[in-house]
Amino acid sequence: MEPEHIRFGGGAAGTLLHPLVALEMALAIILILCLPRKYIIAPMLMGIFTIPIGQVVVLGGVHFTMARILILAGLARFALSGTSSAGGVLAGGLNSIDRAFVLWAFLLLAIFSLQWMETQALIKSLGGFVDAVGGYFVMRFLIQDRDDIRRTIKVLAFVAVILSACMINEQVTHRNIFGLLTGSESASAARDGTIRSNGVFEVYVTAGVFGATLLPLFVWLWTERKSKVVASLGILGATAIALTSNSSTPQLAYIGGLVGLCFWPLRKRMRVFRWGLVITLVALHFVMKAPVWALIAHIDLTGSSSGYHRYMLVDNCIRHFRDWWLLGFRDYDTWGWDMWDLSNQYVAYALTGGIATLVVFILIISRSFGRLGAARRLAEGNRNQEWFVWCLGAAVLSHVVAYFGIGYFDQIQFAWYALLAIISAAIAEALRPSLTQVVEAPLNRKLGSVMKWDVLETIK
């Protein structure tokens, strides 16, 4: 059974802060407050993805992780900033993804707090709300245009190279170098004699997913002029991270990103493919002896995966729909062996936030795909712009696949927020020429109904 305090965040009872971490944090905060906006993304991402989440300052029973402190510094800079080069503090202004994200975070805060009716649950929820909404809008503030996007991906490539080197070292020494920050070299996780490197992350799965989901972004960067060296290093680093984690979920996410990229020649026929996939899954459900989601149990790319556990999570969640649909469900650990381990993001949001939170989370994903699709259609004739948007969609697909095997709970969540911010900035930039056309001339056939819809939404 899961210890109750872990549901409320867990963590150290007192402050745990290594002097090197304190020095890095002081430098990062100074840079965040003093650098020009376009350069702040570097110390922000470096701090988040090179400092273990276990490094924490505890004040009055409230845990301030280093990521949370950096976010608060970023919000302070956000509040003090004027308009950006894009015409506002957020590229394109508030959009449908932003609104859905805020609604999702608020629902998760409110429903989890109501579900438990305990002070610790409220504190945990408020902390998660600050991390989510604060982290997301700091990323939105820092990533405004194509140059910011390129700069952000280059920083992530640099992070990937550092983490891959550390994770390869784990394979050789069986020790996690980041364990030195706690005062001792921690032994790396192992299963069936295979070392599973986790680097700066809490577990090897989230570590591997971090690298896997960055692959499509690095592939796009490789196609950019004067970025091939950085992109190549990023691709190698992302691949090494996914492989040294020795977990099926990261490898599936990696494959998901590659599959998304490979569908580029069929980009104008994706509606047919989507409906074909739906029909195939429905048909399999009726001809299989087990439900179609039982296919999850047969996925094992490493020879030691727990696909059956993931299958049982989904199966129990579906069968106990009445228990969780309104305000989630507290006692899911009674459903069976290890059911407390919510290693599926969709199930996790269903049980902690009810159907409303799950639906809005899926809406965020849907709106991301939808707006990217509209932006790609608007860019037809400009292959570079189309390819850029397509790579972002492949990165979203990679996260969607990863969500079936892990719930994001450590630094990996900020990689997702950064991607959403990149998508919003990319769409705002793609629609800017279209908006000019709408202002200067009537809509013609070439613009089409898709453009009308997106431009109106941007104005709104």
Side-chain angles (χ1 to χ4, degrees):
M1 180 178 293
E2 176 190 31
E4 186 171 291
H5 76 281
I6 292 181
R7 296 196 188 195
F8 298 155
T15 296
L16 179 60
L17 188 62
H18 192 279
L20 290 178
V21 172
L23 180 61
E24 181 180 354
M25 284 294 298
L27 178 60
I29 292 172
I30 291 172
L31 293 175
I32 288 170
L33 296 177
C34 299
L35 282 177
R37 180 200 58 80
K38 63 181 180 179
Y39 298 124
I40 297 175
I41 194 68
M44 178 67 69
L45 294 180
M46 286 296 296
I48 289 174
F49 293 117
T50 61
I51 299 176
I53 206 76
Q55 295 289 297
V56 62
V57 175
V58 181
L59 296 174
V62 179
H63 289 69
F64 290 89
T65 63
M66 299 302 101
R68 188 169 297 170
I69 293 173
L70 290 174
I71 288 170
L72 293 175
L75 289 174
R77 178 61 186 270
F78 187 178
L80 296 172
S81 297
T83 58
S84 72
S85 59
V89 292
L90 299 178
L94 285 175
N95 58 41
S96 59
I97 298 175
D98 299 332
R99 292 189 287 271
F101 189 93
V102 172
L103 178 58
W104 161 79
F106 176 77
L107 286 171
L108 199 59
L109 162 67
I111 294 176
F112 186 81
S113 300
L114 289 173
Q115 182 185 118
W116 285 90
M117 298 296 287
E118 294 184 20
T119 302
Q120 289 299 314
L122 177 61
I123 293 174
K124 185 263 185 185
S125 296
L126 287 172
F129 185 82
V130 170
D131 288 348
V133 176
Y136 174 73
F137 280 104
V138 165
M139 297 295 179
R140 284 280 279 122
F141 163 62
L142 297 179
I143 304 172
Q144 298 278 349
D145 52 32
R146 180 72 71 93
D147 288 337
D148 290 337
I149 293 171
R150 188 181 295 107
R151 192 176 297 111
T152 299
I153 297 175
K154 286 183 177 180
V155 173
L156 289 172
F158 186 62
V159 171
V161 170
I162 294 174
L163 293 183
S164 64
C166 295
M167 292 174 69
I168 291 173
N169 178 69
E170 283 188 64
Q171 294 292 314
V172 176
T173 66
H174 300 181
R175 296 285 179 179
N176 186 344
I177 192 171
F178 289 99
L180 291 171
L181 298 178
T182 62
S184 63
E185 289 186 282
S186 58
S188 299
R191 181 180 292 180
D192 295 339
T194 301
I195 298 297
R196 296 186 159 191
S197 304
N198 62 284
V200 74
F201 292 85
E202 288 287 276
V203 295
Y204 42 84
V205 183
T206 53
V209 166
F210 174 75
T213 53
L214 290 177
L215 178 68
L217 302 182
F218 296 154
V219 170
W220 168 76
L221 188 64
W222 188 85
T223 62
E224 288 283 282
R225 294 181 179 179
K226 300 180 181 180
S227 298
K228 292 188 182 297
V229 174
V230 176
S232 298
L233 291 175
I235 291 171
L236 291 174
T239 303
I241 290 172
L243 292 177
T244 55
S245 67
N246 281 309
S247 178
S248 290
T249 296
Q251 294 178 21
L252 286 170
Y254 189 95
I255 293 171
L258 283 178
V259 169
L261 294 173
C262 290
F263 268 91
W264 163 251
L266 302 176
R267 59 191 179 280
K268 297 181 181 180
R269 300 178 178 83
M270 290 307 296
R271 183 184 295 272
V272 174
F273 172 77
R274 290 195 298 269
W275 278 109
L277 179 61
V278 171
I279 293 171
T280 300
L281 291 176
V282 171
L284 284 173
H285 184 73
F286 283 106
V287 301
M288 289 172 55
K289 295 181 180 179
V292 69
W293 51 89
L295 292 173
I296 299 173
H298 301 286
I299 298 176
D300 186 357
L301 302 185
T302 64
S304 57
S305 297
S306 51
Y308 185 77
H309 170 68
R310 267 75 170 184
Y311 156 60
M312 289 305 300
L313 275 174
V314 175
D315 192 64
N316 276 309
C317 184
I318 294 172
R319 294 179 186 278
H320 292 85
F321 176 79
R322 291 183 179 181
D323 293 334
W324 60 261
W325 74 271
L326 182 59
L327 292 176
F329 188 61
R330 290 171 45 166
D331 300 322
Y332 48 82
D333 56 343
T334 63
W335 288 350
W337 178 257
D338 264 1
M339 287 296 100
W340 63 268
D341 184 6
L342 299 181
S343 49
N344 179 303
Q345 190 69 87
Y346 308 104
V347 173
Y349 286 147
L351 299 184
T352 57
I355 194 169
T357 303
L358 176 61
V359 168
V360 176
F361 175 66
I362 294 175
L363 178 63
I364 295 171
I365 296 173
S366 174
R367 297 302 297 139
S368 298
F369 278 128
R371 290 177 66 84
L372 285 171
R376 188 206 61 77
R377 289 190 290 272
L378 285 175
E380 286 185 2
N382 184 343
R383 288 179 65 87
N384 289 336
Q385 179 65 17
E386 276 194 272
W387 172 245
F388 171 51
V389 172
W390 191 263
C391 289
L392 295 182
V396 176
L397 176 62
S398 184
H399 280 281
V400 169
V401 172
Y403 283 140
F404 281 98
I406 191 64
Y408 288 9
F409 64 94
D410 56 15
Q411 299 99 316
I412 186 61
Q413 61 188 315
F414 298 106
W416 171 240
Y417 304 156
L419 177 60
L420 293 179
I422 288 172
I423 289 171
S424 291
I427 292 171
E429 187 167 276
L431 292 179
R432 207 168 293 132
S434 301
L435 183 58
T436 301
Q437 294 179 54
V438 171
V439 173
E440 294 179 349
L443 291 172
N444 54 39
R445 293 180 181 179
K446 184 177 180 181
L447 295 178
S449 59
V450 172
M451 180 185 161
K452 295 178 186 177
W453 178 84
D454 266 317
V455 170
L456 289 175
E457 185 177 49
T458 303
I459 295 173
K460 181 180 178 182

